Amino acid sequence: MKSKTPTPSGDQLLSMLAALSNPHRLRIVAMLKSGGRNYVSQLARELGISRPLLHLHLQKLEDAGLVVSQMELSQDGKALNYFDVSNFDFELTPAVIAEAVKSLSNNPEQ
């Protein structure tokens, strides 16, 4: 049985939701989930977007903890930055949101 990811803090939840609020980033997560880890140039070709734009989206996803990266050397000595989707699984319910709000760093209730 798959275990759930610990419920994110308020700031983590905001970061994750903000990262997922873009159609390109949703496509990146879906592509990495269905196709497995991949390097930036190949992802950019498959998504039909530029590498600089892809880097921007991958950075946002990585900052939110939704993808991870690993630099590797290819057979011909080129550095390739591989990305893979993180394993995240939590329920988004009103109760989870209410609990997360308590830990927001800009919480006026504290």
Side-chain angles (χ1 to χ4, degrees):
M1 178 173 210
K2 189 164 94 171
S3 64
K4 290 211 179 283
T5 305
T7 303
S9 70
D11 292 336
Q12 290 169 326
L13 182 60
L14 278 176
S15 178
M16 292 170 89
L17 293 174
L20 293 172
S21 69
N22 180 284
H24 285 305
R25 293 192 286 266
L26 285 177
R27 287 184 189 100
I28 291 166
V29 170
M31 183 171 286
L32 290 171
K33 175 61 181 161
S34 64
R37 72 185 206 117
N38 210 336
Y39 61 98
V40 173
S41 295
Q42 184 64 34
L43 278 171
R45 280 191 292 275
E46 291 177 13
L47 289 166
I49 61 176
S50 69
R51 285 185 305 179
L53 181 58
L54 178 60
H55 272 287
L56 177 93
H57 290 304
L58 286 167
Q59 187 62 55
K60 183 87 168 174
L61 290 166
E62 191 169 28
D63 290 346
L66 300 172
V67 301
V68 293
S69 67
Q70 182 174 350
M71 191 68 73
E72 295 181 16
L73 290 178
S74 68
Q75 297 282 2
D76 60 359
K78 291 181 184 174
L80 299 175
N81 198 6
Y82 279 90
F83 283 85
D84 201 357
V85 69
S86 298
N87 189 19
F88 59 93
D89 180 19
F90 63 90
E91 274 189 76
L92 185 59
T93 64
V96 168
I97 293 171
E99 190 61 33
V101 164
K102 295 176 186 176
S103 65
L104 285 171
S105 61
N106 62 349
N107 192 347
E109 298 172 9
Q110 293 180 346

